[in-house]
Amino acid sequence: MKIIGVIAEYNPFHNGHYYHLKKIKEEYKPDAVIITMSGNFVQRGEPAIFDKWSRTEMALKGGADIVIELPTVFATSTAEVFAEAAVNLLGEIKIVNYLSFGVEEKREKELKKIAEILMQEPERFKELLKINLKKGLSFPSAREAALIEFLKKDIPEDELSILLKKPNFILGIEYCKALLKNKYPIEILPVLRKGSDYHETELKPLPSATAVRRFLKDNGSEVDVINRKELKDSLPYFTLEVIKRELEMKKGPIFFEDFEEIIFALLLKMSHDDLTSFFDVKEGLDKRIVKALKKSKNLQELIENIKTKRFPETRIRRILIQILLGITKKDLNNRKPQYIRILGCSKKGFAYLKEIEKKTDLPIITKAKDFSKIKGESRKIVEKDILASDIYSLVRPSKDQRIFGLDYYNKIIIS
């Protein structure tokens, strides 16, 4: 049995994602493809542009057989936590034996070598990391510089520097590190990424998700926007159909700025001690947040007033989303998901869902009553998923769509 796992956000599902799923099906001919997908909030520190059920539908129509939700506490954390928790989730369902992900350069040897160093943390590497942090570099920049120095005899400095600036390659390293750390019998299947770079903002036939979101934000949320040629060329027909429905029902799109007043209200009530309870608030960042709050009129100003070379914008955005959802350090003590939340299945996927039920030790949630299976500390984690859906609903374009408890009411998507 060949089961390929994919870790994704599909924010939204575009031609590049479609290419990836078709490529792994054509090249590796798996029995099934299982997606671990972020829910209503994502790792970049922002809400998903459309909710997790609509994006699940896109994924299933694009070739996924099962879509599992990555718990919100992990989906909104650092790349390291996000990757480790997602790999753990795929590992704990006990039937995945391959992990596929897109990379800007297909350098498997380098991926594994760097992952090994980051997992083992040799003394010399740790020394170099400390030196770079003392220089005031952000952790990612300090780690990059330490790796370049540590590996200069094995990988040319200019090559490694380029690789370590590629977002998908960096995420691939984190996946490999998590596989090594947890000793899952899962092999990697990197696929060469085609089309736009991760951060590129111009729409192309193989776009970045950033470009799609930017286009929808800049061109309004009226249904007519889906008839624009740029969007039609960038998205599969089924994604366009789902987006059309979401726009007609005024359920989306949702953007970070939609939560501005809620985030400001929460921050105004917080003390320094409250702020330091959040995972990424360290090294005096609580003081910067309080100071910036007093002179900022909107979210972007707030971020600009907080960020520094050491504290980049993505980190600040993640912190603000964690504050919005009440995700603290305690919620991230254990990076192994304690339940399997099924968002959707293809008809073929149901057979493999039964196989998962036989092999996994984790409770599986497919309907409302299954939430009662989750007890103890795990209950707090699943409650964050439910809260995230409710908070997400607060800013839907139509007040009629601001419905709470959707995690209980919505059935799994079947395609």
Side-chain angles (χ1 to χ4, degrees):
M1 189 164 61
K2 183 183 284 185
I3 308 296
I4 296 181
V6 173
I7 298 164
E9 291 182 334
Y10 294 152
N11 187 28
F13 191 98
H14 56 62
N15 284 344
H17 300 131
Y18 198 22
Y19 166 82
H20 179 217
L21 292 188
K22 287 195 291 186
K23 183 74 173 175
I24 59 179
K25 288 195 168 192
E26 290 168 5
E27 194 165 329
Y28 302 111
K29 298 186 171 39
D31 295 292
V33 175
I34 298 178
I35 311 294
T36 290
M37 189 185 80
S38 302
N40 288 331
F41 292 86
V42 298
Q43 199 270 330
R44 289 169 61 88
E46 58 186 40
I49 192 167
F50 298 105
D51 70 30
K52 59 190 180 186
W53 294 284
S54 61
R55 287 165 30 248
T56 293
E57 189 177 343
M58 296 172 193
L60 292 171
K61 289 179 176 178
D65 293 300
I66 299 176
V67 180
I68 300 171
E69 180 175 5
L70 178 64
T72 304
V73 298
F74 307 124
T76 56
S77 192
T78 62
E80 180 183 24
V81 174
F82 169 90
E84 185 176 351
V87 166
N88 285 340
L89 186 51
L90 288 173
E92 292 303 316
I93 66 177
K94 303 288 178 73
I95 69 168
V96 172
N97 40 31
Y98 296 91
L99 173 64
S100 183
F101 49 88
V103 284
E104 297 89 348
E105 292 193 37
K106 203 170 176 181
R107 306 277 290 270
E108 289 186 46
K109 182 181 174 183
E110 288 83 356
L111 272 171
K112 291 176 179 178
K113 179 70 176 175
I114 296 166
E116 189 178 326
I117 291 165
L118 293 179
M119 190 195 70
Q120 294 175 349
E121 292 192 317
E123 281 303 316
R124 175 59 180 155
F125 171 76
K126 287 197 285 188
E127 288 171 12
L128 291 167
L129 182 60
K130 285 179 185 176
I131 290 168
N132 291 320
L133 287 171
K134 284 179 181 177
K135 291 178 182 177
L137 296 177
S138 67
F139 182 79
S141 297
R143 191 175 75 165
E144 177 187 327
L147 281 168
I148 289 169
E149 177 64 23
F150 188 84
L151 284 167
K152 63 184 180 182
K153 291 182 181 178
D154 300 306
I155 308 171
E157 183 176 333
D158 56 342
E159 284 185 27
L160 186 54
S161 179
I162 291 169
L163 287 174
L164 293 174
K165 286 181 173 59
K166 296 182 181 293
N168 292 96
F169 190 87
I170 293 168
L171 206 49
I173 293 169
E174 294 297 343
Y175 295 149
C176 291
K177 187 174 76 169
L179 288 171
L180 286 170
K181 178 180 178 181
N182 295 285
K183 299 179 181 177
Y184 290 119
I186 297 175
E187 296 179 36
I188 62 168
L189 299 174
V191 171
L192 189 62
R193 182 184 169 94
K194 299 282 186 180
S196 300
D197 290 337
Y198 184 81
H199 295 297
E200 194 166 329
T201 57
E202 182 183 346
L203 271 185
K204 295 179 179 178
L206 286 171
S208 69
T210 301
V212 178
R213 293 192 299 273
R214 176 71 62 87
F215 185 87
L216 287 168
K217 187 174 184 179
D218 291 346
N219 290 277
S221 56
E222 296 303 316
V223 177
D224 287 349
V225 74
I226 67 161
N227 294 320
R228 293 281 296 271
K229 185 178 186 302
E230 303 99 307
L231 213 54
K232 283 187 169 184
D233 288 345
S234 301
L235 304 177
Y237 72 92
F238 49 83
T239 294
L240 288 166
E241 288 174 355
V242 173
I243 290 177
K244 180 183 179 184
R245 184 194 66 216
E246 296 297 293
L247 294 178
E248 287 175 340
M249 296 177 72
K250 297 190 181 299
K251 292 172 69 178
I254 305 293
F255 299 105
F256 183 62
E257 292 75 16
D258 295 329
F259 296 94
E260 182 171 275
E261 292 179 3
I262 304 172
I263 291 172
F264 268 81
L266 289 169
L267 286 171
L268 286 167
K269 295 193 298 180
M270 287 188 174
S271 66
H272 287 280
D273 287 343
D274 292 330
L275 287 168
T276 54
S277 71
F278 295 97
F279 182 74
D280 254 345
V281 181
K282 303 167 188 173
E283 305 167 277
L285 194 48
D286 57 313
K287 295 182 179 66
R288 289 194 65 84
I289 293 171
V290 171
K291 185 178 178 181
L293 184 63
K294 294 174 183 177
K295 58 181 180 180
S296 304
K297 299 180 184 65
N298 56 58
L299 271 179
Q300 194 53 49
E301 266 190 30
L302 179 66
I303 293 166
E304 292 295 328
N305 288 329
I306 298 171
K307 75 177 186 180
T308 64
K309 187 177 181 181
R310 186 157 193 164
F311 305 129
E313 180 168 338
T314 49
R315 179 172 175 177
I316 307 306
R317 283 174 169 262
R318 274 199 308 273
I319 289 168
L320 295 177
I321 290 295
Q322 289 165 0
I323 288 169
L324 175 69
L325 303 176
I327 297 170
T328 65
K329 291 174 186 174
K330 290 181 181 178
D331 295 318
L332 293 164
N333 284 339
N334 184 355
R335 296 179 189 179
K336 285 204 172 183
Q338 301 298 304
Y339 55 89
I340 299 168
R341 172 72 192 284
I342 307 296
L343 291 174
C345 264
S346 69
K347 291 177 182 177
K348 183 174 75 169
F350 272 105
Y352 294 97
L353 183 53
K354 290 177 182 176
E355 195 68 22
I356 293 170
E357 288 171 347
K358 290 178 190 174
K359 294 192 174 182
T360 188
D361 299 319
L362 301 181
I364 297 174
I365 301 172
T366 59
K367 49 191 175 296
K369 70 177 184 179
D370 293 334
F371 283 103
S372 62
K373 298 176 185 177
I374 315 301
K375 308 290 184 182
E377 289 300 310
S378 302
R379 183 72 196 177
K380 293 178 183 177
I381 304 302
V382 79
E383 283 173 353
K384 293 295 183 189
D385 295 339
I386 296 165
L387 176 65
S389 294
D390 288 346
I391 290 176
Y392 188 89
S393 289
L394 277 174
V395 299
R396 290 189 190 273
S398 169
K399 289 187 178 180
D400 290 337
Q401 295 294 340
R402 295 175 188 180
I403 303 165
F404 304 131
L406 288 174
D407 283 272
Y408 294 108
Y409 304 141
N410 283 353
K411 297 179 180 179
I412 66 171
I413 307 295
I414 299 171
S415 178

